[in-house]
Amino acid sequence: MPHTSVKSSFYAYLSRLRWIKRWGLKRNALDENVMEHSWEVAVIAHTLALIKNRYFDGQVDANAIATAALYHDITEVITGDLPTPIKYHSPAIMHAYKSIEHQAEVELLKLLPDALQADFEPLIQHEQLPAVNRQIIKAADKISAYLKCQAELKAGNTEFEIAAEQLAKNIRDLQQPEVVFFMQAFVPSCGLTLDGLMQTN
């Protein structure tokens, strides 16, 4: 068998995303890690892409978008999850974080066998993706965060009230028709219990 001498710790790093907790500055009723968040962003992004294609004359590759979304927070296995209020607290902090994030991207790419690096480069360095793909992934990321806030509020945790309001505004401000469609069609039922879901059509 060829290439059995190839060794890489890339996947071992990825598997540790399950230990990176999100929303570290807030009291959480429901813990969320980067691995589960990445899956949710990927399925939302996939759905947004399909909505764009089927309802709004889009021409995007839904599978490519879903794949890229799975890797959208991969650098956090090195940097950890820096909460958004800190990340954008000042231009200096934002610039410093972007620099650290870029270096983490470079380090993760180096972990891959040479023959795979070109395939993974746009997945890890998202600035190489088409702008529309990045736009859809960003929207999916915000929707995922909004759903997390709603789940916390439903659990009685008022710690997430302001974040929920800010995210709702940010999502509206995107003015993406596929996002409006998703928020109207899919989000309302996310607050239902299992019994409530089973009573819906």
Side-chain angles (χ1 to χ4, degrees):
M1 293 176 62
H3 309 304
T4 53
S5 62
V6 173
K7 303 291 182 187
S8 170
S9 57
F10 180 78
Y11 181 75
Y13 270 89
L14 257 62
S15 69
R16 302 188 70 81
L17 287 171
R18 63 169 55 88
W19 308 125
I20 310 296
K21 299 293 186 185
R22 287 172 49 80
W23 306 91
L25 293 181
K26 293 184 180 294
R27 177 178 62 82
N28 285 252
L30 309 164
D31 285 339
E32 180 184 55
N33 65 56
V34 174
M35 185 177 280
E36 60 190 317
H37 167 71
S38 298
W39 176 86
E40 185 172 52
V41 172
V43 296
I44 293 172
H46 183 255
T47 305
L48 289 174
L50 292 176
I51 293 168
K52 186 177 185 69
N53 288 345
R54 301 296 178 234
Y55 292 93
F56 302 106
D57 299 319
Q59 299 291 326
V60 297
D61 185 335
N63 294 331
I65 287 171
T67 302
L70 281 170
Y71 292 88
H72 83 284
D73 275 341
I74 187 176
T75 56
E76 292 184 3
V77 77
I78 293 176
T79 68
D81 175 56
L82 187 65
T84 298
I86 301 302
K87 194 183 298 184
Y88 298 105
H89 179 71
S90 72
I93 290 176
M94 184 173 65
H95 178 75
Y97 181 76
K98 290 294 182 186
S99 177
I100 293 168
E101 190 176 47
H102 174 71
Q103 189 58 41
E105 292 171 351
V106 171
E107 294 298 324
L108 286 166
L109 274 172
K110 283 185 192 176
L111 295 175
L112 286 157
D114 291 345
L116 296 178
Q117 288 184 16
D119 298 301
F120 275 89
E121 197 167 354
L123 299 176
I124 295 173
Q125 297 181 325
H126 270 195
E127 67 273 9
Q128 297 188 26
L129 293 172
V132 66
N133 292 26
R134 296 197 308 270
Q135 184 182 50
I136 288 172
I137 293 168
K138 181 179 179 181
D141 195 23
K142 290 183 183 300
I143 292 170
S144 173
Y146 175 78
L147 292 174
K148 157 70 173 174
C149 290
Q150 292 302 312
E152 289 287 340
L153 291 173
K154 188 174 177 60
N157 185 5
T158 57
E159 182 88 7
F160 283 76
E161 279 182 350
I162 293 175
E165 292 170 3
Q166 290 174 338
L167 282 161
K169 180 183 183 303
N170 291 343
I171 290 167
R172 288 194 301 271
D173 289 346
L174 293 173
Q175 297 185 335
Q176 294 171 234
E178 65 274 14
V179 171
V180 175
F181 186 108
F182 187 97
M183 296 297 289
Q184 293 177 348
F186 294 105
V187 169
S189 60
C190 290
L192 297 176
T193 63
L194 176 60
D195 292 333
L197 280 172
M198 293 177 71
Q199 293 173 10
T200 62
N201 294 325

